[in-house]
Amino acid sequence: MHNDSIKTSFLTRIEPSYSNSITAATPIHQQDLPLNILINNAGIMATPFKLSQDNIELHFATNHLGHFLLADLLLETMKSTLRERKTEGRIVNVSSLGHRYGYREGFCFDKINDESRYHRYYAYAQSKISNILHANELTRRLKEEGAEVTANSLYPGTILRNLMRYDAFLKCILKVLGIFISKTVQQGAATTCFVALHPQLKGVGGEYFVDCNIA
């Protein structure tokens, strides 16, 4: 179904950094564009240890802090759109089932940049649980304000794309098992679209979705 009244913009952050997040949000601010839905979908997985431009471990910087900052920069625009158009705002964080498998000791914020304890899958998991916690806490604060803007997180499913390019072994395994567990891009996008658009979820926030259902 095509609807000319709906306009979609893709905000691309080439490198995760404070300045690039501001650059990504600037066109919406400058053009005074309305904003109802923000989908935070950028991500990396299982990369070698590296720091971002702002000297923060790359998974945490890319998968969480970039999304956190972008949502913060655009939140007032979403509230303004809500007031002017009476249309609920929705923030959607694309997380992962991998959020379950973080460091055994939990979050150690003072050791995020410690290369000696770095594990690429635990670091990925830590960034993905951050997506969920961000959506939950943002929902709590927005409810306290009485703002009709919701935030949710989701797992889109296993999709055999470039996300796994840093782990050839895992990529081979998933190619073999893919016929049983993987989704197409369209199937993987279904939960994201459901959470972002479905009228049934009006006012629903702070939830984690899998296969178009609250998990």
Side-chain angles (χ1 to χ4, degrees):
M1 181 176 68
H2 181 72
N3 189 334
D4 289 329
S5 67
I6 298 175
K7 295 184 179 180
T8 304
S9 297
F10 295 92
L11 306 182
T12 303
R13 292 179 295 115
I14 303 302
E15 286 286 339
S17 69
Y18 180 82
S19 60
N20 284 343
S21 291
I22 292 176
T23 300
T26 296
I28 290 179
H29 291 153
Q30 288 181 338
Q31 298 174 45
D32 196 26
L33 297 173
L35 181 64
N36 302 106
I37 299 167
L38 174 63
I39 299 174
N40 291 314
N41 189 48
I44 59 171
M45 178 181 177
T47 68
F49 180 82
K50 184 180 178 181
L51 299 180
S52 70
Q53 292 180 16
D54 299 317
N55 291 317
I56 299 169
E57 190 277 313
L58 199 60
H59 284 94
F60 198 69
T62 304
N63 297 351
H64 171 57
L65 290 181
H67 296 161
F68 177 93
L69 179 57
L70 191 61
D72 188 61
L73 289 168
L74 295 174
L75 190 55
E76 286 306 315
T77 300
M78 298 188 80
K79 291 178 182 178
S80 175
T81 302
L82 169 65
R83 289 190 296 268
E84 294 172 4
R85 304 196 175 200
K86 309 301 180 186
T87 304
E88 179 187 62
R90 296 187 183 184
I91 297 171
V92 181
N93 287 347
V94 179
S95 183
S96 169
L97 193 65
H99 77 269
R100 301 175 178 177
Y101 309 110
Y103 292 102
R104 291 183 179 180
E105 64 270 35
F107 276 94
C108 295
F109 289 105
D110 59 336
K111 296 181 180 179
I112 283 178
N113 290 352
D114 185 351
E115 186 174 1
S116 66
R117 71 182 288 274
Y118 177 77
H119 186 289
R120 56 184 177 172
Y121 285 109
Y122 294 163
Y124 173 74
Q126 182 167 261
S127 70
K128 292 287 114 178
I129 189 65
S130 298
N131 295 153
I132 298 171
L133 295 175
H134 172 221
N136 293 354
E137 177 61 16
L138 186 54
T139 292
R140 185 188 69 80
R141 297 189 182 202
L142 290 167
K143 282 183 177 178
E144 285 186 353
E145 290 180 27
E148 292 184 42
V149 178
T150 63
N152 289 290
S153 54
L154 63 92
Y155 168 52
T158 300
I159 306 165
L160 300 181
R161 305 295 287 178
N162 288 335
L163 188 65
M164 300 166 194
R165 63 186 178 275
Y166 292 102
D167 191 329
F169 179 69
L170 177 62
K171 194 171 183 179
C172 287
I173 291 176
L174 289 176
K175 277 187 176 180
V176 174
L177 298 177
I179 57 174
F180 303 107
I181 64 172
S182 69
K183 293 183 177 183
T184 65
V185 172
Q186 291 77 11
Q187 290 169 335
T191 301
T192 302
C193 293
F194 175 75
V195 175
L197 299 168
H198 204 289
Q200 177 183 322
L201 298 184
K202 180 176 174 59
V204 175
E207 300 289 354
Y208 174 71
F209 290 80
V210 178
D211 292 331
C212 298
N213 289 289
I214 295 175

